[in-house]
Amino acid sequence: MTDDVTDVTDLYQEFGDDRLPPGQRETTEFPVLSKSGTPDWDLDTWEFTVTGAVEEELTFSWEEFRDLPSDRQRQDFHCVTGWSKFDCEFVGVSFPELAERAGVHDEACHVLFSALDGYTTDLPLEDCLREEVLFAWAFDGEDLPADHGGPLRVVTPHKYAYKGAKWVDGVEFLTEPELGYWERRGYSETANPWEEERYS
Ligand SMILES: Nc1nc2c(c(=O)[nH]1)N[C@H]1C(S)=C(S)[C@@H](COP(=O)(O)O)O[C@H]1N2
Ligand SMILES: [Mo]
């Protein structure tokens, strides 16, 4: 892994004029939002799976996952409840890196992320195949804190943060959309903060 930081905080230029999306306020706090508290996990038995419409389904132990090529990025974080946190430094494996290893079938169009607390969230495949979608294990130079999703979480700086599953343990490539936890409760499928896609 390199110590260089890739700065992706300018990705907003693809979506809008302002780094701070409409209706958001900037905070330096990092609030914790979890549907049901922090689950237990044990790195000795922790497993991560890649399933569904792929050439090869994959399973990783914690050690195997940590051996994958990783990237260090500076990103912004936008919560649908109205706060944004700038300049978060995450280290992890990019979604395209993982997708390439599995070999995604042409019919795959959506992705469902699952997590140790039973949380799920889905995104269109094209929204996942971006270098800034990371499976991250470090935040601001430390191991990712458990309440923020450690040992491993997804970050989606181009989307509201509910698209980033904390305690992620699986990715399923889907040939048709399948709604996740908040999407079933009326939140947006695509969740673009610069279009204020909060609800469906
Ligand atoms: N597994 C899991 N991931 C989750 C959630 C959750 O409840 N469980 N909450 C989501 C929501 S609604 C938000 S805003 C972010 C919050 O991340 P944070 O607690 O690190 O701020 O995590 C998302 N990922
Ligand atoms: Mo949220």
Side-chain angles (χ1 to χ4, degrees):
M1 190 190 72
T2 156
D3 284 337
D4 295 347
V5 183
T6 309
D7 189 332
V8 300
T9 60
D10 59 357
L11 65 79
Y12 73 87
Q13 292 167 359
E14 192 181 321
F15 304 107
D17 293 334
D18 297 317
R19 182 172 174 188
L20 189 67
Q24 297 290 106
R25 73 199 129 71
E26 195 188 341
T27 177
T28 53
E29 310 286 292
F30 196 2
V32 170
L33 283 110
S34 307
K35 71 173 181 63
S36 53
T38 300
D40 289 326
W41 39 267
D42 175 354
L43 289 185
D44 291 336
T45 52
W46 184 94
E47 262 190 359
F48 182 92
T49 58
V50 182
T51 57
V54 290
E55 298 295 319
E56 195 189 354
E57 297 199 328
L58 304 173
T59 303
F60 297 91
S61 68
W62 178 247
E63 274 187 5
E64 288 166 341
F65 199 90
R66 289 294 306 263
D67 279 344
L68 293 170
S70 63
D71 196 18
R72 181 182 297 269
Q73 295 185 6
R74 188 172 307 121
Q75 307 192 339
D76 296 340
F77 190 100
H78 307 293
C79 178
V80 73
T81 60
W83 55 268
S84 292
K85 181 174 173 59
F86 287 168
D87 298 318
C88 305
E89 196 182 291
F90 290 106
V91 181
V93 176
S94 78
F95 189 98
E97 176 75 43
L98 204 66
E100 197 188 334
R101 272 155 207 269
V104 181
H105 284 167
D106 290 344
E107 317 87 80
C109 63
H110 259 247
V111 175
L112 188 71
F113 299 88
S114 54
L116 295 173
D117 62 342
Y119 189 80
T120 51
T121 185
D122 73 303
L123 269 176
L125 176 60
E126 62 183 349
D127 289 331
C128 296
L129 288 173
R130 299 174 56 109
E131 290 299 326
E132 69 271 16
V133 178
L134 291 182
F135 296 89
W137 57 71
F139 166 70
D140 282 3
E142 310 276 351
D143 285 349
L144 182 66
D147 52 359
H148 285 298
L152 191 72
R153 79 170 300 163
V154 181
V155 285
T156 55
H158 59 322
K159 299 293 180 185
Y160 289 121
Y162 66 91
K163 294 296 179 179
K166 304 196 283 188
W167 313 294
V168 65
D169 68 347
V171 177
E172 185 182 356
F173 289 85
L174 304 171
T175 53
E176 48 191 74
E178 186 178 321
L179 301 183
Y181 181 86
W182 283 118
E183 293 86 10
R184 285 199 298 273
R185 290 162 175 79
Y187 283 82
S188 167
E189 276 285 274
T190 46
N192 178 344
W194 290 273
E195 299 294 334
E196 285 202 75
E197 294 171 351
R198 297 176 198 269
Y199 309 105
S200 60

